[in-house]
Amino acid sequence: MDTVLITGSAGGVGAWTVDALSDAGREVVAVDRETPPTDDRRDDVDYVAADLTDYGETRQVVDAAAPDAVVHLAAIPHPEDHAGSRVFANNVESAYNVFDAAGAAGARIVWASSESLYGTVFAEDDWLPDSLPIDEETPTEPEDPYGLSKVVGEEVAAAAARRHGVPAVSLRLSWVTLPGDERRREARETFDPATAEPSGNCWSSVDVRDVVSAIEAAIDPETEVDGHEAVLIVSAENFLGRDTAATIEAVHGDRPADCDLDGDESVFDCSKAKRLLGWEPAHSWRDEVETDGESD
């Protein structure tokens, strides 16, 4: 039975990942700053508290677990509620410590990178890439500490893969939404191109269940990964139900001259995820619309 160590296990994505992998029969070691109350723990999961910015603690936890794979989800998730230096230091230090310890243990590395590394999400000025759709070859040009921490994190993952000879996959996630989250619905219902603020990710998102399926594919030993690979993990369409290119032009006042988008498809091209991981998004905001009886 495979052992998987999951950091950030108390977070939204982390908790879903712990449940999914444990239900699939894997031995799960759930790591966070604090262990959950006894009543919130699963009997089939080992819970460990650790400060992942401390290399000694991180190495001890990973060595004790002897995992086949490490899924690194722990991070400060955006630059808006913390000092920028704290966001950058926390995310980069924990990434280095986790990836180096995982590599030394011979474990496969999978972690939550972000669309923010392209630079559009938290940019001071309204701007778009030179061309759309965005793929893994699009230049990364962040101005903010969060996006920059993800650029550096991917380099750290690549270094760990080289040094230790283990596969490493950086999942470039869009805005992760959970079932029942009303924020997409509210954004869609109140959207007006004439007054809308420019969206750095052009109204993209991804369902947490699709994130979990990408993680499962990336840690699967049958998935062949040579060194480090970065892949975009995003829903197939924007969550507005509007023509993407036309909406970008209406809100931003312009669109890239090279803009090859069809209808409401996402600005992020996930074809590499399909080639490398056999992954495609299975969930859409429309699923909830149909379930709740909401009309477009």
Side-chain angles (χ1 to χ4, degrees):
M1 183 183 297
D2 290 347
T3 298
V4 183
L5 184 146
I6 303 169
T7 73
S9 58
V13 177
W16 276 80
T17 304
V18 168
D19 286 344
L21 298 189
S22 184
D23 289 345
R26 290 184 168 90
E27 296 274 1
V28 173
V29 179
V31 180
D32 216 299
R33 284 188 175 274
E34 297 180 359
T35 56
T38 302
D39 292 345
D40 295 336
R41 302 184 190 187
R42 292 180 58 127
D43 293 337
D44 55 353
V45 172
D46 292 329
Y47 295 92
V48 182
D51 177 2
L52 298 177
T53 64
D54 182 299
Y55 183 80
E57 287 192 29
T58 305
R59 185 65 182 264
Q60 289 177 53
V61 167
V62 173
D63 285 352
D68 298 285
V70 169
V71 179
H72 180 49
L73 304 174
I76 296 176
H78 56 75
E80 296 173 330
D81 298 335
H82 299 272
S85 58
R86 176 183 294 183
V87 173
F88 182 80
N90 176 86
N91 292 357
V92 171
E93 288 177 5
S94 61
Y96 175 82
N97 294 343
V98 170
F99 300 162
D100 191 66
R108 197 178 187 98
I109 297 168
V110 178
W111 79 292
S113 185
S114 170
E115 65 186 9
S116 298
L117 53 62
Y118 293 108
T120 62
V121 176
F122 298 109
E124 289 291 332
D125 299 319
D126 172 25
W127 64 278
L128 290 165
D130 292 334
S131 65
L132 291 173
I134 294 167
D135 63 17
E136 290 80 7
E137 301 304 315
T138 299
T140 56
E141 301 175 327
E143 301 173 0
D144 67 281
Y146 177 72
L148 182 59
S149 76
K150 295 302 183 178
V151 173
V152 177
E154 290 196 3
E155 289 299 323
V156 174
R162 289 191 297 269
R163 178 179 182 184
H164 299 289
V166 297
V169 180
S170 297
L171 302 177
R172 295 182 177 177
L173 307 179
S174 186
W175 173 33
V176 180
T177 61
L178 278 60
D181 189 332
E182 291 293 314
R183 289 176 295 172
R184 284 188 306 186
R185 181 200 298 269
E186 292 169 359
R188 185 169 61 254
E189 291 179 344
T190 60
F191 182 79
D192 180 352
T195 59
E197 292 289 330
S199 168
N201 71 357
C202 301
W203 309 279
S204 295
S205 64
V206 62
D207 189 287
V208 68
R209 292 165 291 185
D210 286 329
V211 175
V212 171
S213 69
I215 291 171
E216 290 177 311
I219 65 173
D220 188 337
E222 297 298 317
T223 300
E224 296 184 6
V225 177
D226 184 14
H228 169 257
E229 295 285 356
V231 292
L232 281 159
I233 302 296
V234 185
S235 292
E237 69 288 307
N238 70 59
F239 57 79
L240 296 178
R242 293 171 174 262
D243 182 277
T244 305
T247 306
I248 289 171
E249 186 165 9
V251 174
H252 289 260
D254 196 7
R255 71 172 79 176
D258 182 3
C259 184
D260 184 16
L261 297 173
D262 183 20
D264 66 349
E265 73 174 331
S266 169
V267 296
F268 296 99
D269 178 356
C270 294
S271 57
K272 181 178 178 181
K274 183 177 181 179
R275 294 194 306 271
L276 185 70
L277 305 178
W279 178 90
E280 290 184 280
H283 298 88
S284 164
W285 63 268
R286 287 190 171 86
D287 300 336
E288 296 179 9
V289 169
E290 293 171 359
T291 300
D292 296 343
E294 178 189 339
S295 61
D296 283 354

